[in-house]
Amino acid sequence: MAPESVDLTVRTLGDCRIESPLAPLLAETESTEHYVDENDRVLFDDTVNMIAARKAKLDALPGFEPGGPRRKIFFQPSKTRVGIVTCGGLCPGLNDVIRGLVLELTSHYGVTKIYGFRNGYQGFIAKYGHPPIDLDAEAVSGVNEYGGTILGTSRGSQDPYEIVDCLESMSINVLFVIGGDGSMRGALTIADVVKERGLKIAVIGVPKTIDNDIPYIDQSFGFQTAFSKATESLRSAHVEARAVPNGVGLVQVMGRHSGFIACYATLANNDADYVLIPEVPFQLDGDDGFLAHLRRRVRERGHAVVVAAEGAGQEYLESGEPGQVDQSGNRKLKDIGLYLRRRIADDFAEHGMETSLKYIDPSYAIRSVPANPYDSVYCIRLAHAAVHAAMAGRTAMVVGRWRGRFVHVPIALAISKRNQVDPAGDLWMSVLETTGQPRTFG
Ligand SMILES: Nc1ncnc2c1ncn2[C@@H]1O[C@H](COP(=O)(O)OP(=O)(O)O)[C@@H](O)[C@H]1O
Ligand SMILES: O=P(O)(O)OC[C@H]1O[C@](O)(COP(=O)(O)O)[C@@H](O)[C@@H]1O
Ligand SMILES: [Mg+2]
């Protein structure tokens, strides 16, 4: 396959001429297996075949700018005014990121003016009546112990010109947007208006999504907490299914267009027999279809556990009101879990098989919890990287981790496609190995 052509250039507001307060910490840093020096690059490709396919000289190989503190920075910290906003659906770790940003800005750079804009992009628009709040170490103390976001969030579009009017009127120099793909699209439009007006405002994204659907960042924060929480539902479904004759446990988990939560939760406890995800279409009926397969499995083994991502099998539900979207323009999904519950029950009845089907939908319970320790670590490190990038005048970029290294990813790239489970890739292969389900139904 031809290598992807990607533009990894990160936009900057200007030259970095100010000595960073963190410069002394950097005296002995160099690229190692754990760290990438600021003058180095993180290679986009990481296999010999991928690199060979580029047919390029070493210095022409595509690479990301590494995250981390710079020796020289763009903004004078004592004069820098910062805004932070959280947008879109909830995700474990939002408060960790907010706290990480505030503490890094105040304790290490000496920034004193930080505003929290409330309820997503609405917070910039006067008519909603949500004035910004002051953020300092005191205001964010202990917030990481709680799920949700202390700033509030919202969906729905706002005019980027009005948002930039607000930033200008408050003399904000740096805006951190913590949000998913929609928020990053919004952040890019803000950065573009800033550029159009010749302003020097850095717009830096910290990508969040429990669905893990943002590309080029290895994994999004909150995803690990969310799928860990989902494993509790899978465990319950298994216990219930095993306790009765011909028991079927059916679990629906979030995952609009990407089935990562379903896959990882399945791999975590190894009890599911079928995983249905949006990326892999499946046939329900017929001898090789999912229903027949499930019936055979229950007849042979006495029980079964089925995990469905909410975006799976939408083609079965399209009739009705097509094209419905939420305030942000995200397609509203029909309930595949309830549909499967009915179809499985009817199918067993038609074939004269007794069954007891237990349906569990943990829904928002997997994303409204505080981050687990792993995600908290990830959040704080992303927050540090975001502050370093912003103070060094980078803009229109998100922080992320690529091949295990913290990097700067242009927003345009981070929204250029959706991260999805590759049906030909190793994750899906692991799921097939774990469940024993066939590669396709029908
Ligand atoms: N294409 C876009 N251009 C500008 N703003 C957008 C765009 N898509 C979404 N947004 C805004 O970003 C915010 C969050 O988007 P949403 O899709 O709800 O969540 P997420 O960021 O988690 O994907 C909303 O205020 C939404 O209007
Ligand atoms: O009911 P809501 O708040 O619109 O959210 C539902 C969706 O939010 C998600 O958590 C994803 O949200 P984001 O796009 O905001 O990351 C999906 O898994 C789910 O489909
Ligand atoms: Mg989204």
Side-chain angles (χ1 to χ4, degrees), residues 416-433:
S416 62
K417 63 175 188 181
R418 206 190 298 282
N419 191 32
Q420 289 193 300
V421 177
D422 178 359
D426 64 336
L427 173 62
W428 187 242
M429 178 62 88
S430 287
V431 171
L432 299 182
E433 289 174 75

Side-chain angles (χ1 to χ4, degrees), residues 84 93-106 136-137 140-145 150 178 380 383-384:
I84 302 177
L94 289 166
N95 287 331
D96 297 69
V97 175
I98 296 169
R99 182 161 181 242
L101 293 172
V102 171
L103 293 185
E104 183 69 18
L105 284 162
T106 53
D136 56 16
V140 296
S141 171
V143 297
N144 47 313
E145 301 291 331
I150 55 163
I178 313 169
I380 204 160
H384 292 169

Side-chain angles (χ1 to χ4, degrees), residues 1 15 63 95 113 186 226 230 335 341 364 399-400 430:
M1 205 170 75
D15 293 340
N95 287 331
K113 219 56 216 146
D335 204 316
R341 176 165 80 168
Y364 299 105
V399 284
S430 287

Side-chain angles (χ1 to χ4, degrees), residues 88-89 155 179-183 208-209 211 213-214 256-257 330 418:
R155 297 199 192 271
D181 57 334
S183 310
K208 69 92 214 162
T209 151
D211 291 352
D213 58 2
I214 299 186
R256 227 197 281 266
H257 303 287
N330 301 306
R418 206 190 298 282

Side-chain angles (χ1 to χ4, degrees), residues 305-323:
V305 173
V306 182
V307 181
E310 63 176 335
Q314 287 294 308
E315 59 278 14
Y316 288 107
L317 311 164
E318 287 304 356
S319 58
E321 328 103 78

Side-chain angles (χ1 to χ4, degrees), residues 281-325:
F282 57 91
Q283 197 171 303
L284 276 176
D285 299 297
D287 215 30
D288 291 330
F290 166 72
L291 292 170
H293 214 279
L294 175 66
R295 233 186 304 119
R296 284 197 290 272
R297 145 94 210 183
V298 171
R299 190 168 279 138
E300 283 160 21
R301 308 279 298 278
H303 73 280
V305 173
V306 182
V307 181
E310 63 176 335
Q314 287 294 308
E315 59 278 14
Y316 288 107
L317 311 164
E318 287 304 356
S319 58
E321 328 103 78
Q324 281 211 339
V325 293

